[in-house]
Amino acid sequence: MRAKTAEDRALLEMIDPVAESLGLAVVRVRLMGGTLRRRLQIMAERVVDNDISVEECARLSRAVSEVFDAADPISGEYLLEVSSPGVDRPLTRLLDFQLFEGFEARLETDRMVEGRKRFKGVLAGVEGDNVAIDLDGEEDTALIPFEWVSDAKLILTDELLKRGAALRAARGEPEDDGLPEGEAEAETEDTTNITTSTKDKA
């Protein structure tokens, strides 16, 4: 789920080592838009504490730009956007379901599981290669193979917002990240977002 299309996966293979060299992990890569102007969105975080600063987003953006300028993997114009996963983040790795055990999430599968594809409940960790989730209105914990999960995201709750506030307090960052207007924007609370200039590969 870190990459959705074959093109995304090819880009992820290039981005992963760049991020790792900076002590970061790529949460998700999405190349969106048509052929005239596209947007490459990279969500990343520190390996050590699953957080990221605006400065680290900027460093990753510059490093990826250098690699892409040399390799030219995307034809036409595109914008490179590097951001944190945000508070109500996507869950793209099996590790994520363990890290956020106890928080509410929505899941979708790529096939029918007991008559449905959509699930909502409280994450209960992982068991082997299965995602464990306590579904709303059901007593038993459901186990869903991770490879069947096509989309998953945390639900924005008071508990999740408190976690985000605690992270900000721990790293001593202000709410607005101290950046001039236009350099970064919050997509959701506690989300850093750096967008580079348009690349013209034509």
Side-chain angles (χ1 to χ4, degrees):
M1 289 190 299
R2 292 198 303 148
K4 181 175 289 186
T5 67
E7 192 170 19
D8 289 344
R9 287 190 289 273
L11 294 172
L12 179 61
E13 288 183 2
M14 298 179 64
I15 298 166
D16 263 339
V18 177
E20 289 170 6
S21 70
L22 299 174
L24 302 173
V26 177
V27 174
R28 192 178 76 181
V29 169
R30 292 288 187 273
L31 184 60
M32 298 171 283
T35 56
L36 293 180
R37 181 166 180 170
R38 311 176 79 183
R39 180 163 61 100
L40 176 60
Q41 181 192 69
I42 302 172
M43 291 184 178
E45 63 188 8
R46 288 192 295 268
V47 175
V48 293
D49 60 3
N50 306 106
D51 195 11
I52 193 169
S53 68
V54 172
E55 292 77 13
E56 287 168 316
C57 284
R59 281 198 293 271
L60 179 57
S61 178
R62 289 193 295 269
V64 170
S65 293
E66 289 179 4
V67 171
F68 280 19
D69 285 346
D72 195 11
I74 303 173
S75 61
E77 295 183 354
Y78 70 95
L79 291 175
L80 174 59
E81 176 186 286
V82 179
S83 71
S84 78
V87 177
D88 52 342
R89 59 180 290 149
L91 305 169
T92 62
R93 304 161 297 182
L94 191 60
L95 172 67
D96 294 336
F97 294 90
Q98 188 171 14
L99 287 172
F100 293 93
E101 181 176 353
F103 291 99
E104 293 183 53
R106 287 190 178 91
L107 280 65
E108 286 190 27
T109 55
D110 62 4
R111 66 200 74 187
M112 299 294 286
V113 179
E114 297 186 356
R116 58 175 167 163
K117 289 185 175 183
R118 292 183 174 88
F119 303 86
K120 177 175 177 275
V122 177
L123 296 178
V126 300
E127 291 190 22
D129 292 328
N130 298 310
V131 173
I133 182 169
D134 295 325
L135 299 174
D136 291 351
E138 298 187 18
E139 294 183 3
D140 295 334
T141 298
L143 294 178
I144 302 173
F146 174 69
E147 63 179 11
W148 293 4
V149 178
S150 59
D151 190 51
K153 187 177 183 180
L154 291 177
I155 296 172
L156 197 61
T157 61
D158 289 342
E159 291 76 13
L160 199 57
L161 288 172
K162 288 176 183 177
R163 180 184 183 276
L167 285 173
R168 286 195 304 277
R171 67 185 181 230
E173 291 185 0
E175 291 288 335
D176 62 1
D177 294 312
L179 286 178
E181 185 178 354
E183 285 194 23
E185 60 183 13
E187 293 183 333
T188 58
E189 188 171 343
D190 195 36
T191 300
T192 55
N193 186 335
I194 296 292
T195 303
T196 69
S197 59
T198 302
K199 305 292 182 180
D200 187 355
K201 298 295 185 179

